[in-house]
Amino acid sequence: MVEIKTDTSIEAMREAGRIVAQALTAVREAAAVGVSLRDLDGAARAVIAEAGAGSPFLDYRPSWAPTPFPAVICTSVNDAIVHGIPDDYRLHDGDLVSIDCGAVLDGWVGDSAVSFTVGRARPEDVRLIATAEEALEAGIAAAVVGNRIGDIAHAVGRVCRSAGYGIPDGFGGHGVGRHMHEDPGVPNEGRPGRGMPLRHGMVLAIEPMVIGGGTDGHYTAGDGWTMRTADGSRASHAEHTVAITDDGPRILTAL
């Protein structure tokens, strides 16, 4: 069932989204060679706590997970696509880092992700990150009343495939609201004109994930959470929570 949000609810979600944006900014500012992933989680926790918000990630345990998630951010480094657990790994020069973060405020959720490099960036990583961001922009541009879910999926997938990158099968965006994951699903590849019509009041997390090696294969690491590329190539992830409105798409997780 897809919940249509009121304009008042969308405003409340914007406040949750603002906290997510602030937390991601704090994490990015803290990221440097020698800093641990656990330290990055601490930076996000401080922002969320100071805002009086909670985390939809902390202790989250979907049916497929062997353990509850132990942090407020996902830290996916290099060949990790999504769902990386912050641990004592210390960032190295040239690492590609994807950070996914959520916040809950007054019962409403915001969800966003960003990728960046630490230290000296490899040109191929810069292009990979730029492509994920371009795909996100294309998906948001397609998120208009009168279009369908397939139009978003097609816009995202076209950018990723045109760049020669892989798209992890079975993973994509989703509805957001009182819960972090709601209907409908938002694939990262699809046919235009297909799927559920977009209506004013729908709120979606649009989140391209791209695999640098060009293949779609992936596997779950031994921790039961981290999803890694099958070919060992690097990956990038970008995400915003977006409200569908009669005035066009509204990004709720921007600064």
Side-chain angles (χ1 to χ4, degrees), residues 154-169:
H154 177 71
V156 170
R158 181 176 54 192
V159 171
C160 299
R161 294 299 188 191
S162 295
Y165 295 137
I167 300 172
D169 182 47

Side-chain angles (χ1 to χ4, degrees), residues 45 93 98 153 162 165 209 232:
R45 285 179 189 249
D93 187 37
S98 297
S162 295
Y165 295 137
M209 307 163 195

Side-chain angles (χ1 to χ4, degrees), residues 13-242:
M13 292 189 70
R14 170 60 179 142
E15 294 309 308
R18 199 185 312 273
I19 295 166
V20 175
Q22 292 168 350
L24 286 173
T25 297
V27 169
R28 190 163 188 167
E29 290 175 349
V33 174
V35 174
S36 75
L37 300 182
R38 206 179 300 276
D39 289 338
L40 298 185
D41 184 65
R45 285 179 189 249
V47 172
I48 293 170
E50 184 176 353
S55 169
F57 288 22
L58 185 63
D59 294 327
Y60 178 60
R61 188 178 184 182
S63 59
W64 49 263
T67 58
F69 195 77
V72 304
I73 59 173
C74 298
T75 52
S76 304
V77 180
N78 296 333
D79 67 322
I81 306 169
V82 288
H83 302 161
I85 297 175
D87 57 17
D88 292 326
Y89 175 84
R90 294 189 177 276
L91 296 171
H92 293 78
D93 187 37
D95 277 346
L96 193 166
V97 184
S98 297
I99 304 292
D100 196 348
C101 181
V104 183
L105 185 68
D106 297 328
W108 294 104
V109 176
D111 187 12
S112 183
V114 64
S115 296
F116 54 85
T117 56
V118 175
R120 292 168 293 184
R122 303 180 350 174
E124 56 267 37
D125 290 344
V126 173
R127 179 173 179 265
L128 187 66
I129 292 169
T131 299
E133 292 174 347
E134 182 185 349
L136 176 57
E137 291 173 1
I140 293 171
V144 297
V145 173
N147 271 0
R148 293 176 176 266
I149 292 292
D151 294 303
I152 298 175
H154 177 71
V156 170
R158 181 176 54 192
V159 171
C160 299
R161 294 299 188 191
S162 295
Y165 295 137
I167 300 172
D169 182 47
F171 285 82
H174 48 86
V176 187
R178 291 287 186 181
H179 304 281
M180 181 167 56
H181 293 126
E182 297 183 352
D183 291 332
V186 186
N188 283 330
E189 194 167 30
R191 296 177 64 182
R194 300 296 183 92
M196 181 176 293
L198 303 180
R199 295 174 50 193
H200 178 92
M202 292 175 66
V203 180
L204 309 173
I206 302 172
E207 51 176 322
M209 307 163 195
V210 291
I211 297 175
T215 64
D216 299 350
H218 55 84
Y219 69 95
T220 301
D223 60 18
W225 277 97
T226 307
M227 190 172 80
R228 296 188 179 278
T229 62
D231 62 7
S233 65
R234 295 190 172 196
S236 183
H237 179 205
E239 178 184 17
H240 270 309
T241 297
V242 181

